Amino acid sequence: MGSVVTQAEPGPNPPRLIGRSRERRRLDELIGSAADGGTAVLIAGEPGIGKTALLNHVADVASNQAGLRVLRARGEESEAALGYAALADLLTPLRDRFGALPPAQRHALEVCLALSSGPASGPLAGCAGALGVLASAADEQPLAVLVDDFQWIDPESRQILLFAARRLAAERVVMILAAREEPGAPPAEPGLPVLRLGGLTVAECAELARSLGAEVSGPALRSLVGLTGGNPLAVLENLAGAAVGTSTFGPEHLELGQALDEAWGRVFEELPEDTRLSLFVVAVDAVSGGRHVAAALAALQLSLGSLAPAERRGLVRTVDGEIGLGHPLMHPVIVGRTPLGAKTAACRALAGAAHGHLRAWYLGAAATGPDDTAAEALAATAADARRRQGYGASARTWQRAAALTADHDARARRLLHAAADAHLAGDSAAAAAWCEEALALCRDPVFAAEAELVLGRARTWAGDPLRAFSGLVRASAGSRPVCPVRTVALLAEATLPAAMAGRFDLVRQVAQQADELCGSTQAEDAAPAVPAMVAEAFVMTGEFDKAERYRRRADALLPPAGLAPEQQAGAVFLAQGDIWTERYEQGRLRLSAVVDCGRRSGAPAALPLALGLSSELGWWTGRWASGYADATESLRWAQEMDQPGLAGYGLAQLSRIEAARGDREGCAAHVLRASQEAEPLGVGGVAVYTAAALGLCALSCGDLAAAIDHLERAWAEGQAGGLGNPNVVPFAGDLAEALARAGAAERAEEILAWLQARAEATRLVYPRAAAARARGILAQDPVEAAGWFARARAAHQRRPVPFEQARTLLCEGEALRRARRRVASRRPLRHALTLFSGLGARPWAARAMTELAAAGARAEIRNGATASGLGALSPQELQVARAVGRGLNNAEAAAALFVSRKTVESHLTRAYRKLGIRSRVELAQLLLTTPDG
């Protein structure tokens, strides 16, 4: 938990508090119960942890919501020697209450506050007097007494406040004290209940970044939280000082700000010199868990005993044999206050003690400028990390090697390696930044084409599709005379941001250029992703014959099993084409391979799109529970890796399922998020998805006017962008049905003509079946209607899509009942009800039940369509259940899902309870026998 505010001091406009939900609830309860009796609590935590933020929140709630009178005081280090200073700040506003005190207490209190002269009474008289004043004022209006920086309150005021705090049970006074726990000092123990504050979580840090308008990547946020321990003030300092698009935060660049630096620096400077140097060794060797500390200290003629003063103050900890710093905020203080000569000597000592990649890192850390020996060692380490698929580590190591490389061309090449590996690790912001730096160093045409390719890819995933498209097309023009192969790759890559922007006309344009260049040069494909993207582009535009040529070429470049991370993109794009051409089983196999590869290798770059596509596949194949879980995880990954385009895609998939299930609030909320977070960045394709989802939601709920309005907007967006494949965003069938049901036959015919034309050109089932269903609704003659519904059913038999099939059966049953063939209508209506119920499409199931009742039949759900129980699981529980059902143990499932083992255990426990099972064997059997498993 953590909290932070955008303004630390109270003012006319109280700052917004982020996080601290548990603490706020507890303090709000105390404030709310003040009228029934008082209490006191101490808020404790390290400097900058957010104590003042909570006090500001309490002051706002007390005065503006609970009707309490608020009294505030704050300790000042410079005034700690001024007796009774804080007490005067609190009680002077209540001076009119002094007259109600017994004379001895009044005199004692006034003497304490320098309001009267004379000899002081015993200490208890002043304490009792202060309590009496608070109690008297609270009789008229309950009080909230708030004291910040209690550690600097003068001792005399401190004694009286604690005396009163322990005696408030019968009074209408809530006293909340906030005390700083100094680094290395024992925790405060004032004899009061203590509310101890921790740091920000990654999610809260992300919310803070958004509130500040900061553009920081997901990996950067995670590294920042780790480096600061989530300290809110430290997070603020670093976010405020970070460059736009900061890719990551390193310990050497961590900013503490004056307040935190002074607080921690004071502790560091009080230590002996040999202890300070020993702490530097511990800080630098944290990456190894302190394995080399003892040897390095010996080389520096020191020993572990040198750490004893720091250990006594809690600045060093040993856990399971690993030596580390007691708090992450000590790292920048130690590094910043250690002299350069001592740093260099310590890093060289560590290099002498370490081996392999750590030795290379320590040699690099010891370098004070370009150092070819250290750079070569780091480059070898980076290459080894890449071979072991440790792309995050290899990216950082390539970047450090580049920083120590004197030759500009070699430095640029290493930066490009760093960028490519950062993209595979899911850090598109770092990839883009390093590509731009590399391009500034080297403008060789071939190298520039390679760098522009990675840069365009990174910009696309980072949510800047139009800029990515322009850069890729411009780079392709420059590389055409010297490198046709790279030109084809650039044009193929440009199809993706064009599609993300909703510009299918541009998709076709660059795909056609790539096709012509391939035909004229016989350019060989460098990677399966190139022909796969060209194939996908032609699938989008409905040119399936051209798409098939490139699909076969990409297939030949992919291994039959065991994808490497760099091959994931090709498989993902092929899978997307498989879905849009209704090759569902083939798409499922490809996506399973990609997801397995991403989870196994720890290279999650392809996971947001792959899981989003798995959700889309689940939509078509009727596995909606799994689809919803996949879309939820896709969205989480896209947010963590700052990929707003794919976040918009995940939100669109969630809203589509919610629309069909009749969840209007959920659908609208996800559509709003997509329009606010993705569309402003130029991700125009999201507008088609969101309008289509809102239209389906309205159609599901029977609101034809709203459905037509939203679906016409989707139609206009799709046509303006040149959409040629109805399956890319399947809304045309919904629009045709809504128009047909509303009696708008002429407009419906225009949509149906397009659907039928696309069905003939592409041989797809969805547009053929949707068009036949709508014509059945429009038909006035029962025989003609029956013929159209028969054609739709025949099409569904070729490619079963449960939701579309159920809708056709519902329409057929409605038509039969209206034609007074009540008995005949019951069979398709019952079948429709079973399918709708199994999907959880509640409004559609309700419509089928109503029709069955009108047909004189009892509505029953057959074949246990709703009894699977998987729909009762949350998306996270279902993902864990699926992982365990595949035979993974808890540790393996945790690694595959990038969560902790404890998270897996808790989700699995809840899943067992909801499913009514007790073992992994039962879970595996259930998943095997359930269509949505």
Side-chain angles (χ1 to χ4, degrees):
M1 283 170 291
S3 78
V4 71
V5 291
T6 54
Q7 121 185 4
E9 296 298 329
N13 298 311
R16 183 171 71 90
L17 188 65
I18 294 175
R20 296 289 186 219
S21 57
R22 180 179 67 86
E23 291 89 345
R24 279 188 284 178
R25 282 196 303 271
R26 180 175 175 186
L27 294 174
D28 290 353
E29 288 170 359
L30 295 181
I31 294 296
S33 63
D36 300 322
T39 188
V41 66
L42 176 77
I43 301 173
E46 66 191 53
I49 203 65
K51 301 178 294 296
T52 300
L54 267 181
L55 285 183
N56 290 342
H57 166 78
V58 170
D60 179 55
V61 171
S63 61
N64 297 327
Q65 299 180 32
L68 275 66
R69 182 176 181 179
V70 177
L71 303 175
R72 299 193 70 160
R74 181 170 193 164
E76 295 289 345
E77 190 171 15
S78 60
E79 299 178 3
L82 300 179
Y84 301 107
L87 190 66
D89 290 340
L90 287 172
L91 297 189
T92 298
L94 304 179
R95 188 172 180 183
D96 60 327
R97 299 286 169 177
F98 286 21
L101 295 175
Q105 292 182 9
R106 176 178 178 175
H107 176 72
L109 189 59
E110 288 181 342
V111 168
C112 291
L113 301 181
L115 298 175
S116 296
S117 59
S121 303
L124 287 180
C127 293
L131 178 60
V133 168
L134 294 175
S136 176
D139 286 340
E140 179 179 320
Q141 182 182 10
L143 297 181
V145 179
L146 311 180
V147 182
D148 203 357
D149 284 326
F150 190 68
Q151 75 283 350
W152 288 328
I153 294 293
D154 61 272
E156 294 81 6
S157 296
R158 180 186 181 93
Q159 178 187 20
I160 291 177
L161 288 174
L162 289 177
F163 175 91
R166 298 185 188 105
R167 291 162 175 82
L168 295 177
E171 312 301 338
R172 301 202 302 170
V173 180
V174 173
M175 185 181 294
I176 301 177
L177 314 174
R180 169 187 292 194
E181 294 183 333
E182 294 290 349
E189 296 294 344
L192 298 178
V194 177
L195 192 62
R196 188 160 279 108
L197 304 187
L200 288 163
T201 65
V202 175
E204 289 163 348
C205 188
E207 186 179 353
L208 173 63
R210 289 192 294 271
S211 73
L212 297 177
E215 299 179 18
V216 187
S217 70
L221 288 170
R222 291 191 292 275
S223 67
L224 178 58
V225 172
L227 291 169
T228 62
N231 182 285
L233 184 56
V235 170
L236 272 173
E237 295 282 357
N238 284 274
L239 288 177
V244 172
T246 294
S247 60
T248 189
F249 288 91
E252 67 279 9
H253 300 129
L254 194 64
E255 297 287 341
L256 288 190
Q258 182 178 356
L260 288 175
D261 186 69
E262 288 178 357
W264 290 94
R266 185 165 54 242
V267 176
F268 182 67
E269 296 293 348
E270 290 173 356
L271 297 170
E273 183 179 353
D274 61 339
T275 301
R276 295 200 297 270
L277 179 58
S278 300
L279 276 176
F280 178 82
V281 173
V282 172
V284 175
D285 198 42
V287 66
S288 79
R291 293 199 309 271
H292 310 105
V293 168
L297 290 178
L300 294 168
Q301 297 183 338
L302 299 172
S303 70
L304 290 176
S306 304
L307 290 168
E311 193 171 9
R312 284 194 294 271
R313 302 197 64 172
L315 303 178
V316 176
R317 58 173 174 76
T318 303
V319 179
D320 297 331
E322 293 188 355
I323 302 174
L325 297 179
H327 195 290
L329 287 183
M330 281 299 297
H331 192 287
V333 171
I334 293 168
V335 173
R337 294 173 183 249
T338 300
L340 179 61
K343 290 179 183 178
T344 302
C347 289
R348 286 175 179 164
L350 283 166
H355 303 280
H357 70 280
L358 280 177
R359 179 177 181 277
W361 265 108
Y362 294 139
L363 286 174
T368 56
D371 186 325
D372 287 339
T373 300
E376 288 294 337
L378 286 167
T381 295
D384 180 63
R386 174 186 285 174
R387 283 191 295 271
R388 292 183 285 106
Q389 300 181 354
Y391 293 101
S394 66
R396 294 189 298 272
T397 310
W398 280 121
Q399 192 274 336
R400 179 59 180 158
L404 298 178
T405 302
D407 181 76
H408 280 198
D409 287 350
R411 183 178 182 183
R413 175 64 60 183
R414 285 169 177 167
L415 280 169
L416 183 56
H417 287 323
D421 288 354
H423 176 71
L424 286 173
D427 192 351
S428 297
W434 292 338
C435 280
E436 291 169 351
E437 187 179 347
L439 284 166
L441 292 169
C442 179
R443 295 305 305 178
D444 172 76
V446 175
F447 175 82
E450 294 178 7
E452 290 283 3
L453 183 68
V454 178
L455 177 59
R457 187 175 300 153
R459 285 174 173 167
T460 298
W461 295 129
D464 197 356
L466 294 177
R467 186 181 178 199
F469 177 82
S470 298
L472 288 163
V473 171
R474 185 172 57 250
S476 72
S479 70
R480 187 179 294 244
V482 294
C483 189
V485 173
R486 187 58 60 193
T487 301
V488 171
L490 287 163
L491 291 169
E493 193 74 41
T495 63
L496 184 59
M500 190 176 286
R503 294 293 306 275
F504 301 103
D505 54 335
L506 297 180
V507 171
R508 188 181 189 284
Q509 176 184 314
V510 291
Q512 192 65 41
Q513 291 179 35
D515 184 46
E516 292 169 359
L517 191 58
C518 282
S520 63
T521 65
Q522 288 82 45
E524 293 295 326
D525 301 303
V530 174
M533 282 188 285
V534 176
E536 183 192 31
F538 284 128
V539 167
M540 287 185 216
T541 59
E543 299 171 88
F544 286 9
D545 290 340
K546 290 182 178 179
E548 183 60 20
R549 294 204 312 269
Y550 287 96
R551 187 191 68 80
R552 288 197 298 267
R553 188 179 300 178
D555 255 335
L557 294 170
L558 286 171
L563 287 175
E566 59 270 18
Q567 297 169 324
Q568 292 180 57
V572 166
F573 296 131
L574 286 179
Q576 192 158 35
D578 289 335
I579 294 171
W580 290 341
T581 55
E582 301 175 344
R583 302 176 182 184
Y584 301 133
E585 182 58 23
Q586 192 165 340
R588 185 187 67 79
L589 293 173
R590 290 192 205 277
L591 290 173
S592 295
V594 171
V595 172
D596 287 345
C597 173
R599 297 197 192 285
R600 184 181 63 253
S601 66
L607 283 179
L609 180 55
L611 289 164
L613 288 173
S614 292
S615 175
E616 185 172 357
L617 182 62
W619 164 266
W620 287 107
T621 58
R623 299 162 62 92
W624 286 7
S626 294
Y628 199 88
D630 287 333
T632 300
E633 187 178 357
S634 169
L635 176 60
R636 177 174 65 82
W637 277 113
Q639 290 172 323
E640 287 193 8
M641 292 190 284
D642 283 329
Q643 298 179 355
L646 292 181
Y649 179 52
L651 290 165
Q653 298 308 316
L654 290 171
S655 64
R656 182 190 293 179
I657 295 175
E658 288 160 343
R661 286 176 165 174
D663 181 1
R664 301 190 80 158
E665 290 186 4
C667 177
H670 284 131
V671 165
L672 179 63
R673 279 188 60 189
S675 63
Q676 291 178 337
E677 298 174 14
E679 286 186 57
L681 298 173
V683 188
V686 169
V688 184
Y689 282 100
T690 54
L694 291 173
L696 175 59
C697 189
L699 182 62
S700 298
C701 298
D703 188 347
L704 292 180
I708 292 171
D709 182 57
H710 291 303
L711 293 167
E712 286 283 16
R713 184 157 53 88
W715 172 267
E717 293 277 358
Q719 292 298 299
L723 182 63
N725 181 341
N727 288 20
V728 172
V729 191
F731 64 85
D734 298 339
L735 177 56
E737 180 174 333
L739 290 166
R741 288 185 178 276
E746 185 175 345
R747 176 58 178 152
E749 284 292 347
E750 296 175 13
I751 308 301
L752 290 171
W754 183 82
L755 272 173
Q756 289 181 307
R758 300 319 303 156
E760 293 300 325
T762 62
R763 300 181 295 279
L764 291 171
V765 166
Y766 163 71
R768 188 180 302 277
R773 180 173 67 232
R775 289 200 178 280
I777 297 171
L778 285 170
Q780 300 297 314
D781 178 54
V783 175
E784 180 187 358
W788 284 115
F789 290 132
R791 292 186 193 184
R793 280 191 282 103
H796 290 311
Q797 291 300 315
R798 288 173 46 204
R799 289 286 189 279
V801 176
F803 183 55
E804 294 295 324
Q805 184 181 4
R807 289 169 63 177
T808 295
L809 291 166
L810 174 61
C811 292
E812 183 178 15
E814 290 172 336
L816 288 169
R817 188 189 62 78
R818 286 196 302 270
R820 300 181 183 278
R821 298 183 60 192
R822 298 170 65 194
V823 174
S825 71
R826 296 171 186 170
R827 182 174 181 181
L829 289 172
R830 284 196 177 101
H831 192 183
L833 175 59
T834 298
L835 291 173
F836 285 140
S837 299
L839 294 168
R842 292 182 294 274
W844 298 88
R847 190 182 302 176
M849 292 178 72
T850 300
E851 286 293 326
L852 271 171
R858 182 180 176 186
E860 294 179 350
I861 301 173
R862 297 189 172 185
N863 301 325
T866 62
S868 73
L870 294 182
L873 302 184
S874 72
Q876 295 80 5
E877 290 163 359
L878 182 54
Q879 293 293 63
V880 168
R882 290 163 69 188
V884 172
R886 292 197 304 270
L888 301 182
N889 61 36
N890 288 359
E892 293 167 338
L897 298 173
F898 298 88
V899 297
S900 70
R901 181 170 180 168
K902 186 175 181 180
T903 298
V904 168
E905 291 169 353
S906 62
H907 283 321
L908 192 59
T909 299
R910 288 195 293 271
Y912 280 179
R913 184 172 62 251
K914 290 180 180 180
L915 297 173
I917 59 177
R918 297 183 177 181
S919 70
R920 293 169 181 267
V921 173
E922 290 180 87
L923 176 61
Q925 291 173 341
L926 177 62
L927 291 169
L928 284 173
T929 56
T930 302
D932 214 356

